[in-house]
Amino acid sequence: MHDKQLPPQSRRTFFKQAAVAGAGVAALTTMGTAPGTGKGWRASAAPPGKSVAVFGAGPAGMTAAHELAERGFAVTLYEARNVLGGKTRSIYAPNSGATPLPGEHGFRSFFGFYHNLPNTMRRIPFAGNKNGVWDNLVRLEAAMIAGVNRHNLTIPLPFPIPLPELPMTLKAFIDSVSSVLETVWRLPAQEALFAAERLGVYVTSCDERKFGQWENITWTDFAKLNNSSKEYNRFLGDGFIKELVATKSANCSANAIGLVGESYVWSLLGINNDGGAAGKGNDRVLNGPTSEQFVNPWGDYLRSIGVKIQLEQQLSSFKTNGKHISSATVSGSGGTHTVEADYYISAIPHERFSAVLDDAMIAADPALAGARKLENAWMVGLQYFLKSRHDLANGHVGYNDAPWGLTSISEAQFWKKPLTSYGDGTVKDVLSAIISDWDTPGMFNKKTAKQCTPEEIVKETWEQIKAHINGDGVTQLTDDMVHSTLIDTGLTGAGTPQIAYDDSIFIQNAGSWTQRPEATTGIDNLMLAGDWIKTDMNVSCMEGANEGGRRAANAVLHASGSSQGAVELHKQFKQLLWEPFKAVDAGLYRANLPNEFDIVDGGRKPH
């Protein structure tokens, strides 16, 4: 279940090519570096047709650089910030000591159904690790679903259902899901059956229906969240969805939510997990700050195989000659520079790519204009550095009644390096939280997060967390535990009308699939990478970004006529039990008829 590959390269060939790439990049010359000269960098010593400029050093850009450098290309990686990693990078508290207190700015899960990203991680050396930075992943043993004025549910991971006992028919699947929903989520029998039926409709839908019908309606419409009970919405609505994809049921496509939901369920049941049954489960986190355990070692490896990295250099524009990029311009430290290469990969976010799109590029490839129609949402990290160790759960905690769409994780239990080695030595834990809804009034101050000052954001988030965690006569979190806090440094202007966020994420609004470009464009030497282009993963995440980088690298290999083996692309898992139903549904869809199990809803035609 992988894309067709050319014969793999031998180990000797790999090192020979890496050496060639290293020698070529080492010979790169800097020309005309005076500010504003319009001169810049050219890979003049690169083998003919082998120079690549990659813009954006997040997971997508680093992946593309990684794959191409290993295949003998001379790669230069340009990054607007002064650090690598993009949205994946760690953030550090200013003025917190010689070794600053570390935090994360976004969601950090390496799900078991990720396969492309773990493959890359295994190929990034890390001292003492047999399997590179992949060995820095730690298996989570539980997840907590927390609520207000109710008992919190802690679920062991992976879900303890023996494989032979899994439901082997669609009826058994629907019956089993209905039973769980009635028991665990307190749904009335009729709503539990309907929820299970909705899931059954999705998993038996053919790909044509998923992308032609479910991709174009919202999850609210598909799951019929309007006029449903509060419990139904807690499970199938925003109480769960905002925590995973930083969007709302009312605008996210049904296909995007359904795809991730189905993948997660199979992973939860021990099916299709990276590393197999003896691997690291369905959810993993790193054993330390992301930059230290993953991003920085990756940067070191890229340099070792010849990738030249230029920090504080932001892509400003492309110069086109018909359907061909003749040069690019970057600006930042040292002024403005012209970049010349054989191939150009844009691995920057879609909103920044839209800013460099001009009429000539759109004329060369009208499909690129779709990038301007894509939308973003905010998913902002907030760290509570604690004076004492306190594990709320051995995994992530979802605060299902929190209007700001909160999740958190207690980091110290997973990190090899003690928190006391950072800051002033008195911090023993960090409760790393994420705010995913910035437009709903808070539980206590009745303001949206976008209306709050930094101090109000910190206080309201803490109060929402305490309302979920403290109860039944037990107080687990108190104000005097907090040493200090850190809001994601990408958030600026909080408490003013100019509030902005520099690291927003792409959201899969209904109908957005047709606006998303492919990695290969109508411009012969321009490729795109990122989780916002069309990928099998579909949604915004590190796996999607890694896949996007792989697709861009393959586009370069194809365009250059390279004899090197294509980059492996792991396809989404397909449950063989559903394939006969999908085959039937394909005929129904082509006949403009509803899915055969779309019964409770009365069925809806595709068009």
Side-chain angles (χ1 to χ4, degrees), residues 161-168:
I161 298 179
L163 191 62
E165 300 302 319
L166 291 177
M168 300 304 287

Side-chain angles (χ1 to χ4, degrees), residues 193-215:
L193 177 62
F194 180 65
E197 185 247 27
R198 292 286 81 198
L199 299 178
V201 167
Y202 182 80
V203 300
T204 59
S205 290
C206 63
D207 289 345
E208 295 95 327
R209 188 184 299 277
K210 287 178 178 177
F211 285 92
Q213 185 175 4
W214 305 143
E215 184 66 39

Side-chain angles (χ1 to χ4, degrees), residues 345-364:
I345 297 177
S346 175
I348 58 180
H350 71 84
E351 69 275 14
R352 294 178 186 172
F353 177 70
S354 296
V356 302
L357 272 177
D358 59 22
D359 293 342
M361 294 175 68
I362 293 176

